Amino acid sequence: MSPDKMVRMANQIATFFETQPGADGAEKVAAHINDFWDPRMRQQLLDHAATGGGGLSPLVRAAIAHIHAPAA
Amino acid sequence: MKDFIIPGDRDMGTPARDGAPVVLTIDGFEVTVPEGMSVMRAAAEAGLDIPKLCASDNLEAFGSCRLCVVEIEGRRGTPASCTTPVAAGMVVRTQSPKVQKIRRGVMELYISDHPLDCLTCAANGDCELQDMAGAVGLRDVRYAPGDNHFETRAEAGGEANPLYVPKDDSNPYFTYDPAKCIVCSRCVRACEEVQGTFALTIQGRGFDSRVSAGTPADDFLTSDCVSCGACVQACPTATLQEKSVIELGTPTRSVVTTCAYCGVGCSFKAELNGDQVVRMTPYKHGKANRGHSCVKGRFAYGYASHKDRILNPMIRDKITDPWREVSWDEALGFAASRLRGLQETYGQRSIGVITSSRCTNEETFLVQKLARAVFGNNNTDTCARVCHSPTGYGLGQTFGTSAGTQDFDSVEHTDVVIVIGANPTDGHPVFASRLKKRLRAGAKLIVIDPRRIDLVRSAHVEAAHHLPLRPGTNVAVVTALAHVIVTEGLMDEAYIRERCDWDEFQDYAAFVSDPRHAPEATEMLTGVPAEELRAAARLFATGGNGAIYYGLGVTEHSQGSTTVMSIANLAMLTGNVGRKGVGVNPLRGQNNVQGSCDMGSFPHELPGYRHVKGAEVRDVFRQAWGVEIDPEPGLRINNMLDAAVDGTFKGLYCQGEDILQSDPDTKHVAAGLAAMECVIVHDLFLNETANYAHVFLPGSTFLEKDGTFTNAERRINRVRRVMAPRNGFADWEVTQHLANAMGAGWTYTHPAQIMAEIAATTPSFAGVSYELLEEKGSVQWPCNAANPEGTPLMHVDGFVRGKGRFIVTEYVATDEKTGPRFPLLLTTGRILSQYNVGAQTRRTGNTVWHAEDLLEIHPHDAENRGIGDGDWVRLASRSGETTLRATVTDRVSPGVVYTTFHHPETQANVITTDYSDWATNCPEYKVTAVQVAPSNGPSDWQENYSQMADRARRILPAAE
C-alpha cells in the first residue's frame, strides 16, 4: 500500500492508545499491529521505520521494537 | 388471507396472555387458561373453534362481526367471545340453538352484500368467509337484490352502481378489491397494531364504510403504505390478495425457511405448488419476527427466477475478452490451476477469499476453510469488514463477546431506547415495527442521527429527543452523555461495583468528568444543543430499562470501534446489560453478518473468534483438517486490494459479494481487481465485480439450498431447500468442487455434516445440530453443555470476559475534513424497498418505490447552489464524482447531504474515500467531504464505466 496510507493507519492506532491510561502504550500499539496486520504489511512498516520512519508518530516509533518481524 | 395450516399454526382468535390460571367450563369440558385470556381463545385452546371473521390472534379483539357470540350461564344476552375475558367458574356454551341462529343470520347479511363467484375467485379454498358460511350452516340468502357494493351493473346496460369501487392494482404485489370487502377492519388494525404505519382507515359509516388507503385521492401506491403485507395476511377474503396467487392459484404445500435479506432474520413459510413459489408468508412462530414481515422478505423474491441469472459457469483469459460458457469441470479446473499457479509464482499468501454474509453458515465455513486448509493461509475476509467489524472489536474488548446481548423479544420490556446511527424503519423494518409497538405503549425514544429519520416523528411515534449530530462526531456525543450521567451522579454504582472493573471505571469516570466533555463544550463541534443532550442523558439514566440499538452509522467511521466501546460504556454505566429490556444491540445489515463473523471469516480469527496466534486453537483445526494452520493474520479486504496494486496479491475467490459496488473508493477497488490475475466471482448475477473476473461460478438462492443463517440476536435459523438449484449446485457444493479441484478431497454430502464439524471445533456452537434445530425451531448461541437450549440473553450473571471493562474514548476528528472545495458532508444509507447493492431488489417490483439513488440536500444548501427538487446534480469528492438527482428536504441539516448506494448507475462509492476505522479498517462510508453543483449529464466516470461494463458482460454463444 502507499507509504502515506500505511503511516496514516499506524498513526491512527497510536492515536487511540495514546489516550489510554498506563505507560504501556507502545506495547499495546505493537500488539494491535501484530494481531491485525498481515506479514507483508508489518514488513513494510518495519522497512519504513528502518529507513527513517518519516511521518510515523513517536508512539509508533516506540512500538516498532515490539512488532514481530515476519518469518522470512 | 388465512394461514395454510401446518400443525401448530392455527389462528387462535385473540393474542395469548400471561396470568394466573383460571378454570372454566366450555361445552362441558373443563379448561384451564391464563387470566385475561378471551373466551374465544380459551375455547380454541381446548380444540373448540368458535366461528369468527374479525378476530385474528395477532390482533387485539375488536368485536365487530358478531359471529363469535356465545351463551354464558348467569349472563344476559349473547356476548362476543373474542372481547369477553375468562372468569373462574364460567360455564360457556359455544353451540346452542340460539347462537347458531344468530350466526346464520349474521352470515346471511354478510353474504347478501358479497359476490357469489367463489369458483372463479382467487381466494377459493383459502377464504374465511367461505369457511364460516359452511361452519354456521348457511343454506339460504333470503334478502331481495338491492343496494350492494359488488355489482357494476354496467354490463347489464343499466345505470352504473354508484357504490361499486373498482379494483386497485397500483401496488406491484397485491390488489385491493372493495367488491369483496366485508369491512372486518382486520387490515386496518394490522396496519396499526402489527406494522405501525397507520396507512389504512375505515372511511364512512354504516353501509358506507369502506377501507381506504390514505386520503380519497390516494391509491395503495401513493398512500403511506409500506407494502409489508400485514393487511394482505390479515384479510379473510380475496379483498387484499397477492397478485402471485391470482396468477398461479392457491399453494398446496409450505416449507418454513429464513429470509435472506436483513439481519432481523425473519422466519417465512415458502408456499408452493410443486417447486414453484406462490408466495412467502411470515411464519407466526418465527421468534425474530413473530409473524410479521416487510416488503422485501414478503414480496421481493422474484430475483430468484429473473432472466439475468447466470446458470452456467464461464471463463475468460483476460477481462477484456468476452465470457465463454464452459462445463463445471472446465471452469473449476481452470480456476484451480490458475490459483495454484499463482501460489507457485507469487507465494502461498498471494491468493485469498471473501466469504459472504448472504450465504449460509455452512457455506461461509467452507470458504474460510478453503483459504486456511487448501490455500494454506489466512487471507479470508467477509463483507462484515465493511459494516460491523468494529462491533466485533469493540464489544469483544468491553464485554468479551462479539455479539448483541439481547433477543428481539427484549424490546417488549424496554422503557427507554436509544437508536444511534440506524434507521430501523428502512433498514430493519420488522424490528422497527416491534419497537414502534413498544413506543406506542409508552416507552421513550432518543434518536441520535444526522438525519430526521422516520422514527423521530411518524404516526403515533415521536422521539423524546433527537440529537442531530454532525457526521463523524459520534464519540463526542456519546462521551458527553456519559459526562452528564457521571457528573450528575446518575450512574448505577452498585451495578458497576458488582460487575465491572472498578479501577478501570475510576480512570473512565475521571476522563468523562473532564469539563471538555461537557455537552456545552462539545456543542460547537457536534451541533447538538447542550440542553437537549443533557435531557437525553438524564432520561436514559433514570427512565427504567434502557436499551441501545445501533447500526452502521456507528461503525462506518474512523472511530467506529471507539464509538462501539463508548456505547458499551454507556450501557454498563447505567446498569443496562444482563436482563430483559436492556442491552447493546447491533442491527446487522445482511442476513448472515453475525454468522459469517462467527464462522471465522476474519483473517485473524478461526471460527468462534479465536485468534490464529493461539497454538491451542490452531491445534484443534490441525487435528480436524489434517493441515497446519498459518499462525500469521491474513489480509483484510482493503489490504487485499492494496496488496493487489502492489503486485503481491494475485488471486481472489469472492462468494456472494459485490465489492466493486459496495466497497468504498470504487476507483481503488477497480485498480486492485484489475491488477489480479485470477478473480473468481461466485454469484447469482454478473455483478459489477464480475466485470473484473476471469471465472464466473453461478450461485444458488436461499430457496435452493439447505443451511443456517444467524441473525442479529445470535439466533441460528434453518434455511430449507424448496426447489432444486437452477444452476445445478448449492453454493457449498460449488466451494467443495473448487477445493477438490485443488486436491482437498472433501466429501460432504449435506450441510448438516458441515454443521457437525462446526460444532465439533467451535465451543459456542458445541450443542448445535440440525436435529436440535428441527426440534426447537431455532437456538441462540452460545449453545453448549452449559446452555443446551441456547442463550437468549448474554451476560446475565456477569460479563463473559469476567469484569466489564470501561475504556476511555477520546474523540478524534476524522482526517476527512470539509473546506472551501468540498464544504458539505456526505453520509450514506439505505432505503426500505432496496437492499444493499440492489442486485436482488433491483430485479423485483420494488423498483417502483426507488428506481434511482437520490441526493437529499437541505433547502438552504440547495438555494445557495441554484438546485431545485428533481434537478440533476454533480456530486464530487476528493476521490471522484458522479451525478444523480436531488431531493430538497429538511430531513438533513444544513451542511449535510445524504444518498443511498443501491444503483450501479450512480456508484455512490466513487465518492467515498479509503479512510477507515483505526482498529478494523472498516471503511468510513458515513463521512465524506463533498461539493454539489448543478449538472446536465453523467460524469466521465459514469460514461466510461457504463461502456466498460457493457463490454465486460459480453457472453459468447456456447460452443456446440
Side-chain angles (χ1 to χ4, degrees):
Chain A
M1 85 185 72
S2 78
D4 286 354
K5 185 170 173 182
M6 177 193 63
V7 166
R8 187 175 75 233
M9 278 167 48
N11 286 350
Q12 267 185 295
I13 294 165
T15 300
F16 175 79
F17 286 106
E18 263 165 20
T19 66
Q20 299 303 303
D24 55 351
E27 287 85 346
K28 285 177 173 164
V29 170
H32 189 92
I33 289 174
N34 287 332
D35 278 356
F36 294 100
W37 285 29
D38 130 290
R40 79 198 78 181
M41 294 164 66
R42 296 205 310 273
Q43 191 61 56
Q44 191 186 351
L45 178 62
L46 293 173
D47 291 347
H48 182 75
T51 55
L56 293 176
S57 76
L59 190 59
V60 177
R61 289 168 189 267
I64 292 291
H66 305 284
I67 291 174
H68 302 157
Chain B
M1 301 309 309
K2 90 173 174 175
D3 288 327
F4 262 74
I5 308 301
I6 48 183
D9 208 21
R10 283 163 63 213
D11 188 328
M12 307 298 280
T14 64
R17 290 283 185 262
D18 286 327
V22 171
V23 182
L24 70 160
T25 305
I26 305 177
D27 292 343
F29 297 96
E30 198 167 89
V31 185
T32 306
V33 295
E35 191 176 6
M37 183 176 277
S38 70
V39 170
M40 173 181 279
R41 187 167 180 124
E45 301 271 355
L48 304 163
D49 284 341
I50 299 173
K52 60 182 170 53
L53 281 171
C54 73
S56 175
D57 60 8
N58 64 339
L59 302 171
E60 291 302 323
F62 195 55
S64 82
C65 77
R66 313 312 294 176
L67 208 59
C68 72
V69 291
V70 292
E71 287 195 272
I72 299 174
E73 265 181 28
R75 295 204 187 179
R76 282 183 299 174
T78 49
S81 61
C82 64
T83 53
T84 305
V86 294
M90 195 179 242
V91 178
V92 179
R93 294 180 69 203
T94 72
Q95 299 289 345
S96 69
K98 186 175 178 185
V99 297
Q100 286 167 340
K101 189 175 174 197
I102 293 172
R103 287 178 193 151
R104 273 195 296 272
V106 169
M107 276 310 296
E108 200 174 347
L109 281 163
Y110 273 117
I111 299 302
S112 72
D113 190 15
H114 194 84
L116 297 178
D117 62 348
C118 294
L119 288 180
T120 53
C121 176
N124 186 24
D126 184 22
C127 171
E128 292 179 46
L129 191 67
Q130 198 176 45
D131 294 348
M132 290 304 115
V136 305
L138 182 72
R139 298 289 173 260
D140 193 14
V141 177
R142 293 162 296 170
Y143 297 99
D147 281 356
N148 66 59
H149 296 97
F150 63 86
E151 285 177 326
T152 60
R153 293 196 196 128
E155 299 92 345
E159 207 173 304
N161 178 0
L163 297 173
Y164 175 80
V165 179
K167 204 188 247 192
D168 172 357
D169 60 1
S170 59
N171 183 291
Y173 299 118
F174 62 85
T175 60
Y176 166 53
D177 184 356
K180 304 221 158 148
C181 181
I182 59 169
V183 202
C184 63
S185 296
R186 273 162 66 164
C187 55
V188 177
R189 289 181 287 142
C191 193
E192 293 178 8
E193 294 176 32
V194 179
Q195 166 57 26
T197 291
F198 295 78
L200 303 182
T201 189
I202 299 288
Q203 189 193 332
R205 288 177 185 276
F207 193 65
D208 294 330
S209 303
R210 310 305 283 263
V211 172
S212 171
T215 70
D218 282 316
D219 56 22
F220 267 75
L221 193 62
T222 62
S223 74
D224 289 343
C225 170
V226 292
S227 198
C228 68
C231 58
V232 183
Q233 190 70 7
C235 182
T237 69
T239 309
L240 289 160
Q241 181 75 61
E242 295 93 346
K243 287 182 176 174
S244 58
V245 173
I246 296 173
E247 185 187 337
L248 300 170
T250 42
T252 51
R253 70 184 187 105
S254 73
V255 180
V256 176
T257 190
T258 305
C259 179
Y261 282 115
C262 80
V264 177
C266 296
S267 296
F268 274 87
K269 284 186 296 178
E271 299 186 2
L272 306 103
N273 283 325
D275 68 349
Q276 184 168 48
V277 176
V278 175
R279 64 181 169 192
M280 300 287 289
T281 54
Y283 182 46
K284 184 156 93 170
H285 300 299
K287 291 184 180 126
N289 55 319
R290 302 283 178 194
H292 191 36
S293 59
C294 81
V295 60
K296 294 190 283 285
R298 177 78 154 90
F299 295 117
Y301 53 84
Y303 67 86
S305 51
H306 195 275
K307 64 177 171 51
D308 286 355
R309 253 187 89 176
I310 303 290
L311 302 173
N312 297 304
M314 303 190 294
I315 59 173
R316 57 184 171 190
D317 278 323
K318 304 189 298 292
I319 61 171
T320 48
D321 292 344
W323 285 107
R324 200 156 53 83
E325 285 188 0
V326 295
S327 68
W328 278 98
D329 280 348
E330 186 176 352
L332 293 162
F334 178 88
S337 67
R338 277 218 171 182
L339 291 176
R340 282 297 186 219
L342 290 172
Q343 284 191 301
E344 278 163 25
T345 311
Y346 299 101
Q348 191 157 331
R349 291 179 182 144
S350 63
I351 62 174
V353 300
I354 297 178
T355 76
S356 175
S357 296
R358 297 181 205 181
C359 286
T360 63
N361 286 318
E362 292 77 2
E363 287 163 344
T364 302
F365 184 86
L366 286 198
V367 175
Q368 62 89 35
K369 180 176 175 180
L370 176 70
R372 295 193 155 112
V374 182
F375 296 178
N377 63 43
N378 286 309
N379 289 332
T380 169
D381 207 1
T382 179
C383 33
R385 170 66 51 210
V386 301
C387 71
H388 264 294
S389 49
T391 292
Y393 182 79
L395 296 185
Q397 292 290 311
T398 48
F399 295 163
T401 51
S402 302
T405 61
Q406 311 297 112
D407 56 10
F408 284 129
D409 285 349
S410 167
V411 77
E412 292 167 15
H413 305 274
T414 295
D415 300 309
V416 187
V417 182
I418 292 181
V419 172
I420 171 168
N423 185 9
T425 52
D426 284 67
H428 304 88
V430 170
F431 165 70
S433 288
R434 300 188 67 179
L435 169 63
K436 287 198 287 188
K437 188 168 191 172
R438 181 65 192 161
L439 295 173
R440 289 196 304 276
K444 298 283 189 291
L445 174 66
I446 298 162
V447 172
I448 306 176
D449 200 287
R451 286 173 77 225
R452 197 181 65 235
I453 59 173
D454 283 350
L455 278 180
V456 172
R457 194 162 194 278
S458 57
H460 297 260
V461 167
E462 184 165 18
H465 304 285
H466 175 213
L467 312 183
L469 77 179
R470 200 173 149 76
T473 61
N474 286 330
V475 171
V477 169
V478 181
T479 304
L481 289 169
H483 171 91
V484 174
I485 291 167
V486 171
T487 56
E488 297 189 6
L490 303 176
M491 65 276 197
D492 186 342
E493 190 177 324
Y495 179 96
I496 299 166
R497 281 186 183 275
E498 184 194 329
R499 297 191 175 224
C500 304
D501 186 305
W502 185 251
D503 288 340
E504 276 162 347
F505 173 69
Q506 296 292 313
D507 286 338
Y508 174 75
F511 163 76
V512 295
S513 300
D514 191 292
R516 76 180 191 282
H517 300 304
E520 292 74 14
T522 56
E523 180 173 340
M524 288 301 285
L525 168 76
T526 64
V528 176
E531 263 319 298
E532 197 68 13
L533 191 148
R534 280 191 183 273
R538 290 170 191 144
L539 174 62
F540 187 69
T542 63
N545 282 343
I548 305 173
Y549 292 85
Y550 72 89
L552 307 185
V554 160
T555 54
E556 290 175 347
H557 288 277
S558 288
Q559 280 200 292
S561 292
T562 315
T563 312
V564 173
M565 294 184 229
S566 73
I567 286 170
N569 289 337
L570 196 61
M572 290 189 287
L573 191 60
T574 50
N576 278 318
V577 182
R579 61 179 189 279
K580 283 184 184 176
V582 300
V584 174
N585 304 277
L587 294 171
R588 308 285 186 160
Q590 307 205 61
N591 51 328
N592 204 32
V593 172
Q594 182 69 54
S596 75
C597 297
D598 301 340
M599 291 300 105
S601 295
F602 287 142
H604 64 286
E605 283 172 342
L606 285 155
Y609 302 98
R610 292 167 293 171
H611 201 285
V612 294
K613 71 186 172 187
E616 279 177 30
V617 62
R618 286 204 310 277
D619 203 46
V620 169
F621 289 92
R622 185 180 58 80
Q623 291 188 15
W625 296 344
V627 293
E628 289 295 333
I629 305 295
D630 187 349
E632 285 283 13
L635 293 165
R636 299 168 283 196
I637 293 177
N638 13 26
N639 308 149
M640 289 179 189
L641 295 166
D642 286 327
V645 172
D646 291 348
T648 65
F649 187 82
K650 289 289 187 179
L652 176 68
Y653 169 46
C654 180
Q655 181 179 68
E657 194 191 352
D658 190 358
I659 57 172
L660 189 82
Q661 193 183 336
S662 67
D663 285 33
D665 194 0
T666 308
K667 288 180 185 169
H668 179 62
V669 179
L673 287 169
M676 295 184 205
E677 293 176 20
C678 182
V679 175
I680 304 165
V681 167
H682 180 182
D683 207 289
L684 299 176
F685 303 104
L686 275 175
N687 61 18
E688 307 310 309
T689 305
N691 294 337
Y692 293 86
H694 308 82
V695 180
F696 186 91
L697 302 176
S700 54
T701 71
F702 74 113
L703 297 166
E704 298 164 350
K705 58 198 183 187
D706 283 302
T708 56
F709 290 152
T710 307
N711 75 355
E713 39 169 16
R714 296 169 278 105
R715 184 180 304 286
I716 305 159
N717 265 315
R718 271 300 309 277
V719 178
R720 290 187 175 87
R721 173 174 154 155
V722 303
M723 61 176 74
R726 294 184 65 217
N727 56 318
F729 295 108
D731 293 332
W732 62 270
E733 294 176 287
V734 175
T735 304
Q736 171 160 288
H737 288 319
L738 178 60
N740 288 346
M742 296 180 74
W746 295 352
T747 55
Y748 305 103
T749 56
H750 191 275
Q753 297 159 350
I754 306 171
M755 181 53 83
E757 185 171 317
I758 296 165
T761 52
T762 308
S764 51
F765 280 69
V768 181
S769 68
Y770 276 38
E771 291 75 26
L772 184 74
L773 293 171
E774 278 313 316
E775 183 193 329
K776 302 283 177 201
S778 65
V779 290
Q780 289 169 273
W781 67 258
C783 176
N784 47 30
N787 308 285
E789 299 196 354
T791 311
L793 302 177
M794 298 282 284
H795 317 296
V796 172
D797 300 315
F799 286 98
V800 169
R801 72 180 299 279
K803 291 286 188 186
R805 183 172 164 221
F806 283 93
I807 297 180
V808 168
T809 54
E810 187 77 66
Y811 167 71
V812 178
T814 168
D815 289 336
E816 179 68 7
K817 296 196 169 40
T818 54
R821 279 178 64 212
F822 302 106
L824 303 172
L825 285 179
L826 170 74
T827 188
T828 58
R830 62 163 88 167
I831 200 160
L832 172 67
S833 55
Q834 299 282 5
Y835 177 73
N836 202 276
V837 295
Q840 293 142 289
T841 46
R842 278 186 283 109
R843 293 180 170 97
T844 69
N846 279 25
T847 46
V848 72
W849 287 283
H850 185 82
E852 59 185 320
D853 294 318
L854 297 168
L855 184 77
E856 288 186 6
I857 183 167
H858 190 272
H860 175 81
D861 294 324
E863 174 80 19
N864 274 346
R865 291 166 174 76
I867 293 167
D869 202 47
D871 287 357
W872 284 97
V873 295
R874 170 180 164 277
L875 175 68
S877 74
R878 291 177 187 91
S879 292
E881 64 181 68
T882 188
T883 54
L884 67 176
R885 290 198 299 156
T887 297
V888 178
T889 171
D890 66 354
R891 282 175 82 112
V892 289
S893 303
V896 177
V897 292
Y898 167 89
T899 190
T900 50
F901 58 98
H902 301 306
H903 293 272
E905 297 77 24
T906 323
Q907 290 276 22
N909 284 318
V910 171
I911 306 301
T912 51
T913 68
D914 77 344
Y915 290 155
S916 66
D917 174 47
W918 68 267
T920 65
N921 273 171
C922 178
E924 187 166 56
Y925 289 100
K926 300 294 183 180
V927 189
T928 309
V930 295
Q931 178 58 293
V932 177
S935 160
N936 46 22
S939 68
D940 291 345
W941 163 268
Q942 284 169 300
E943 283 187 349
N944 292 338
Y945 183 80
S946 164
Q947 284 170 15
M948 193 284 281
D950 286 346
R951 272 200 313 277
R953 289 199 171 102
R954 286 170 301 159
I955 301 174
L956 289 178
E960 289 300 321

